[in-house]
Amino acid sequence: MIRFLRGAAVPVALLIAWEIYARTGIAPRYVVAPTEVVKTLWAMTLNGSIFKHTGRSIERATVGFAVGAFFGTLAGLTAGVLKPVENFYDPIISLTYPVPKIALLPLIFTWFGIGDTAKFVIIIMAVFYPTFIASFYGAKSVERVLIWSARNMGASRWQVFRRVVVPAAMPQVFNGLRVGLALSLIIMVTSELIAANEGLGYLIGAAQESLRFDIMYVALLIIGLLGFGADRLMRIARRKLLVGQTLGSEAGNG
Amino acid sequence: MTPFPSKLRDFLAHWYSVPLLLACWEIVSHSGWVQPRLVPSLMLIGQIFWRDLLSGVLIHHTTVTLYRALGGFLMAVVAGCTLGAAMARNRTIDALFEPIFSFGFPIPRIALYPVFIFIFGLGDASKIALVFLEGMFVITLHTYQGIRAVPNTMVWAGSSMGANSRQLFWRVLLPAALPMIFTGFRIALPVALIIVVSTEIIGESVGLGYYIQFASASFDDAKSLAGIAAVAIIGFALDRALIWLRNRAVFWQPEAVALG
Amino acid sequence: MPFLEIDHLVKEFTRKERVIRAIDGIDLMVKEGEFVSIVGPSGCGKTTLLHMLAGFVPVDQGALRLDGKPILGPGPDRGVIFQEYALFPWRTAHGNVMWPLEIKGVPKAEREATADRYLDLVHLEGFRDHYPAELSGGMKQRVALARILVLDPRILLMDEPFGALDSQTRELMQEELLEIWGKTGKTVIFITHDIDEAIYLSDRVVVMTARPGKVKEDFRVDLPRPRRLDIKKTPEYAAYRNKVWDLLHVEVIAARAQTPDGRA
Ligand SMILES: Nc1ncnc2c1ncn2[C@@H]1O[C@H](COP(=O)(O)OP(=O)(O)OP(=O)(O)O)[C@@H](O)[C@H]1O
Ligand SMILES: [Mg+2]
């Protein structure tokens, strides 16, 4: 509890200072008092507009994330156990991995139009990489004795994959999913900032143009909560699903 | 069998997928199934790349992008390492800052860009600030965790050999945490590039992101792809440079060049 | 007819175009139900031999036969116990013991009950729902033993199974292994560095030479069974102990002087 209070000290102090500064009247217009932001949030909740934008953003991020993560993990795990698959992906991934996928965004807009398809495509691409790499390494680094002992107990190659490699790689797979989730939100916001007429990124852009800073902060707040909430969900899922593998190794996971 | 053809075969066995994909691209481009404007031939992309490289246009935009990315990144390295080390060594600083970092980490900070524009203006400063903020998070957390993860036995061994706390920090903790710190750098550097290119796409009049966005907006996909190639090259080169540096700094624990 | 037959076994490793001979013509016959220990200096090829028996590593020359049939790959007729336990960290003790039964397709109720029975056998019924990370080294190795026994293998192949345990736990495990061996009558090939362990447990002790590994000496341990730990105080036991120590000492010295490619 004391630790919690101390941890909250800096953010709370900042918020109070911010509120006072905003109310003095000498602050520039973009410094909006936190209480004003909450009021706007309440108003937007009452008229339902916040749900509309949040819903659209969540939809884009989730669909993109789910598809990208599915294919990334699947390809990564297969490449980890099958040499020909590894040979196919390895050069492509290692050449393009450090390249910011976001640079493709304008091009993808010209290919697919500025609708949702383009946003899905870019999110899927961005999520594919970290999930692929994490599950590839997860599958590759499964301890040899585990595989041997499974073979010794009569498991077929498929059973070894399904019942040893996949569960053993799971902690790494989750690391990849976590990175992918963060990326999907970043790309979601960016692509909505560039071209959209609904969604939280759009809301920020529109608020910026009409100088409605209170709305901008509301959108920022929601985006922050989404990022935080999604990450927490992921961590809870990880802890629930991987009981045996997370025992005694929680500390280093900040 | 002579060694040469077998080397060539190994090389092809490893790299075949890249030429294969490029060939597919080229086939699609010439097939007439899609408008050639949308999938321009590699030849055309190469010509435009070469033209803009010679005229200095690409170099100009690249310099701006690199300046923003590296500027923010280097500031984040200095600040992140300092703060991370301070948090790991001092309980009060830890209690004050650790929650901000662990709670704030999953929040997509790029959404702050419009606010930064108002604070720092449209030019370099807002982008460098955003890169700095983003890099700070990653580097601070990695430095912090790297130092915290040094096994006690190693520290005890050092102090029993007479090292004072200063020497312990510079000669035990820091080297032991270095691999982790470099992992942080390796995550932060591509992120720096992502941030700069994205913000340049959102609204700018210079930089590679702008170059790509402008080309796409004028339906010149070949030029857009030339810009993407430039981003790809610097992204790749920066990563390799960082690995080179890392393997010299952390010479006792080499890292594979390839993935991850 | 011998149960397990090792016939002129040779194994070489190629590393950077240099050939390293790890095993240089081993011949060994083991009868059904026999408990055979193999001791030898570090690096003499004991693990390699065991991995070939298990079918993980291919044979270069010579042959391996179990019950007259050549060994060509891994199979549940040979249960392997690894020094590193090789438990699945995502499964509880009970889940680990059930694992091979799932692979075999045993119905759920039956495999649950069987796994419980084998956990009883190794005295771990109280730790049924613990994950490997929550078990001590000795407990982990007992789970691994139960997991192998559940398949009812014809022979147990154990590679320094108690090597990572402290000496008290190790002695307890030795007693327990003997008890289980008495109940099940399995054939056991047991690799160890510990001379006491080899003599206390075995019907026969095989001493190997420094690399390339050959059989240096192969003799029976004629101590009465069932054996209790206090047998270690008898003069007969001490005589065996000294004999193995002398045999081994020469080889350990020879192994220490070796370069990687095997020249002394
Ligand atoms: N995969 C391999 N590649 C190359 N050399 C190997 C390989 N596996 C084992 N060797 C070599 O073969 C020899 C025998 O190794 P092995 O692991 O069987 O020894 P060991 O008797 O089990 O030793 P220890 O008692 O230390 O466990 C060693 O010299 C080792 O270097
Ligand atoms: Mg060994």
Side-chain angles (χ1 to χ4, degrees):
Chain A
M1 188 63 199
I2 291 186
R3 210 189 137 73
F4 174 79
L5 284 181
R6 262 201 301 181
V10 173
V12 170
L14 278 177
L15 272 181
I16 293 174
W18 184 357
E19 178 82 30
I20 294 170
Y21 180 52
R23 294 200 173 273
T24 55
I26 56 162
R29 282 191 61 189
Y30 57 80
V31 181
V32 181
T35 47
E36 292 296 321
V37 176
V38 173
K39 264 187 220 157
T40 309
L41 174 62
W42 182 240
M44 292 177 77
T45 314
L46 288 185
N47 72 21
S49 60
I50 197 68
F51 298 115
K52 184 182 72 180
H53 292 294
T54 310
R56 294 292 284 133
S57 289
I58 290 182
E59 184 193 325
R60 290 177 181 133
T62 332
V63 173
F65 171 75
V67 177
F70 175 77
F71 285 108
T73 307
L74 193 71
L77 289 173
T78 348
V81 291
L82 295 177
K83 198 72 189 163
V85 182
E86 177 186 342
N87 280 342
F88 177 80
Y89 281 108
D90 180 63
I92 301 178
I93 301 266
S94 64
L95 280 179
T96 55
Y97 165 69
V99 180
K101 262 58 74 183
I102 194 84
L104 295 171
L105 194 60
L107 187 72
I108 288 183
F109 278 140
T110 72
W111 281 354
F112 297 98
I114 56 169
D116 276 2
T117 318
K119 298 187 183 78
F120 288 146
V121 169
I122 192 82
I123 295 179
I124 290 168
M125 280 181 66
V127 173
F128 182 86
Y129 279 80
T131 47
F132 175 91
I133 290 172
S135 40
F136 173 72
Y137 274 104
K140 260 219 121 71
S141 56
V142 176
E143 284 174 69
R144 205 173 50 159
V145 281
L146 290 189
I147 292 173
W148 276 0
S149 98
R151 296 283 285 158
N152 175 245
M153 290 185 278
S156 65
R157 285 177 71 94
W158 164 248
Q159 282 171 320
V160 169
F161 178 72
R162 170 68 194 72
R163 290 164 161 278
V164 179
V165 175
V166 171
M170 263 311 162
Q172 298 247 45
V173 169
F174 261 89
N175 289 344
L177 291 179
R178 234 182 125 186
V179 177
L181 192 62
L183 271 177
S184 68
L185 289 177
I186 292 178
I187 308 277
M188 181 267 285
V189 171
T190 315
S191 61
E192 286 179 350
L193 269 171
I194 295 173
N197 45 28
E198 269 175 345
L200 294 167
Y202 159 77
L203 200 59
I204 292 181
Q208 183 197 18
E209 272 165 27
S210 57
L211 300 181
R212 284 291 304 273
F213 293 103
D214 50 340
I215 298 186
M216 204 154 114
Y217 287 111
V218 167
L220 280 174
L221 183 68
I222 306 276
I223 290 172
L225 287 176
L226 281 185
F228 182 73
D231 192 59
R232 277 295 133 126
L233 276 183
M234 193 69 106
R235 283 166 74 164
I236 292 171
R238 182 191 151 103
R239 195 153 40 221
K240 287 255 151 30
L241 292 174
L242 309 179
V243 197
Q245 286 148 292
T246 44
L247 285 170
S249 64
E250 274 293 78
N253 251 312
Chain B
M1 195 194 277
T2 54
F4 181 71
S6 95
K7 277 221 174 85
L8 185 69
R9 208 183 44 202
D10 291 351
F11 181 81
L12 280 181
H14 189 96
W15 290 98
Y16 76 97
S17 52
V18 173
L20 188 71
L21 281 192
L22 292 179
C24 288
W25 175 281
E26 201 63 19
I27 290 170
V28 171
S29 165
H30 289 285
S31 66
W33 300 325
V34 293
Q35 287 184 43
R37 185 178 60 73
L38 291 179
V39 184
S41 81
L42 297 171
M43 196 59 186
L44 184 61
I45 301 171
Q47 276 168 0
I48 292 180
F49 185 87
W50 192 238
R51 184 197 72 199
D52 282 359
L53 190 69
L54 289 187
S55 72
V57 175
L58 261 178
I59 298 193
H60 171 59
H61 290 294
T62 304
T63 319
V64 173
T65 299
L66 268 181
Y67 163 68
R68 291 166 173 165
L70 288 179
F73 174 74
L74 290 178
M75 282 163 58
V77 166
V78 175
C81 288
T82 315
L83 184 58
M87 280 164 57
R89 299 290 288 156
N90 182 304
R91 303 192 65 165
T92 316
I93 301 181
D94 184 19
L96 290 178
F97 286 97
E98 200 275 334
I100 301 186
F101 280 93
S102 62
F103 278 80
F105 191 66
I107 296 173
R109 284 163 290 275
I110 183 114
L112 287 173
Y113 181 56
V115 183
F116 276 35
I117 292 180
F118 280 101
I119 304 178
F120 299 105
L122 262 172
D124 292 343
S126 55
K127 295 170 185 71
I128 294 180
L130 197 61
V131 169
F132 170 75
L133 182 70
E134 193 70 46
M136 231 334 239
F137 263 88
V138 178
I139 296 171
T140 306
L141 273 179
H142 277 83
T143 310
Y144 173 74
Q145 286 173 3
I147 293 181
R148 292 289 294 256
V150 178
N152 277 333
T153 46
M154 212 187 268
V155 180
W156 292 332
S159 53
S160 75
M161 287 184 276
N164 61 31
S165 69
R166 221 187 131 79
Q167 289 168 319
L168 275 183
F169 179 77
W170 288 105
R171 290 161 176 270
V172 179
L173 290 174
L174 201 64
L178 215 49
M180 187 80 168
I181 295 175
F182 264 97
T183 306
F185 293 170
R186 202 161 168 217
I187 297 174
L189 193 55
V191 170
L193 206 55
I194 292 177
I195 301 276
V196 174
V197 172
S198 326
T199 53
E200 286 171 353
I201 290 175
I202 294 174
E204 211 4 306
S205 53
V206 66
L208 283 174
Y210 161 77
Y211 177 92
I212 294 169
Q213 165 70 13
F214 182 81
S216 292
S218 34
F219 299 103
D220 191 349
D221 279 18
K223 188 170 164 184
S224 176
L225 280 159
I228 291 168
V231 173
I233 291 168
I234 62 172
F236 189 72
L238 284 180
D239 191 55
R240 285 297 149 102
L242 198 56
I243 294 175
W244 183 85
L245 200 66
R246 183 210 175 276
N247 285 345
R248 255 140 214 86
V250 195
F251 53 87
W252 62 93
Q253 198 188 88
E255 180 169 62
V257 167
L259 298 177
Chain C
M1 188 172 91
F3 180 59
L4 176 70
E5 215 177 327
I6 302 175
D7 187 8
H8 259 78
L9 189 68
V10 174
K11 180 72 193 175
E12 286 171 344
F13 290 107
T14 314
R15 199 163 169 275
K16 297 203 177 129
E17 298 174 10
R18 300 261 282 284
V19 176
I20 298 174
R21 183 163 282 218
I23 288 180
D24 190 22
I26 290 185
D27 289 288
L28 205 65
M29 307 278 182
V30 178
K31 288 205 291 274
E32 186 149 24
E34 219 174 6
F35 198 123
V36 179
S37 282
I38 299 179
V39 295
S42 185
C44 73
K46 304 182 293 293
T47 298
T48 308
L49 170 64
L50 198 93
H51 285 174
M52 287 192 288
L53 288 172
F56 302 144
V57 172
V59 170
D60 280 350
Q61 288 170 37
L64 299 172
R65 277 180 292 272
L66 186 70
D67 218 3
K69 288 185 284 292
I71 292 174
L72 299 171
D77 53 342
R78 285 148 287 143
V80 182
I81 299 284
F82 299 89
Q83 182 176 348
E84 310 89 326
Y85 318 121
L87 295 180
F88 300 130
W90 54 92
R91 292 211 151 197
T92 60
H94 187 252
N96 264 288
V97 181
M98 272 203 310
W99 199 92
L101 299 173
E102 288 166 24
I103 292 297
K104 254 170 80 177
V106 176
K108 189 161 194 300
E110 188 186 334
R111 63 177 189 245
E112 297 248 348
T114 314
D116 276 323
R117 220 171 52 240
Y118 278 88
L119 276 181
D120 284 354
L121 180 71
V122 296
H123 308 299
L124 278 179
E125 55 278 15
F127 293 86
R128 184 179 190 278
D129 298 321
H130 286 231
Y131 285 94
E134 300 167 311
L135 298 172
S136 71
M139 293 173 179
K140 282 184 205 160
Q141 201 55 291
R142 267 143 62 193
V143 175
L145 197 56
R147 185 174 71 166
I148 284 305
L149 289 173
V150 91
L151 279 174
D152 197 22
R154 309 204 53 194
I155 183 168
L156 288 180
L157 305 172
M158 310 178 83
D159 188 4
E160 299 189 42
F162 310 144
L165 306 178
D166 64 86
S167 52
Q168 277 80 28
T169 313
R170 178 187 280 239
E171 289 197 332
L172 275 177
M173 292 294 293
Q174 292 166 2
E175 267 196 307
E176 237 174 84
L177 179 61
L178 276 191
E179 183 196 319
I180 290 169
W181 178 69
K183 281 185 198 160
T184 58
K186 300 275 180 225
T187 313
V188 181
I189 304 290
F190 190 97
I191 288 175
T192 178
H193 269 125
D194 183 336
I195 299 176
D196 280 301
E197 188 168 77
I199 297 167
Y200 172 61
L201 292 174
S202 317
D203 298 321
R204 262 167 79 194
V205 173
V206 175
V207 182
M208 284 176 64
T209 64
R211 198 188 61 212
K214 288 183 287 281
V215 175
K216 181 182 173 91
E217 185 104 15
D218 175 354
F219 59 91
R220 303 202 59 77
V221 179
D222 285 317
L223 295 172
R225 290 196 192 262
R227 294 176 193 164
R228 302 269 314 273
L229 277 171
D230 51 19
I231 202 174
K232 294 187 182 180
K233 294 185 211 152
T234 62
E236 293 84 354
Y237 181 89
Y240 280 119
R241 198 181 185 291
N242 291 340
K243 176 173 177 180
V244 180
W245 195 92
D246 288 337
L247 287 167
L248 213 50
H249 188 65
V250 187
E251 296 305 322
V252 171
I253 301 282
R256 193 176 60 186
Q258 264 175 355
T259 54
D261 54 0
R263 288 176 309 225

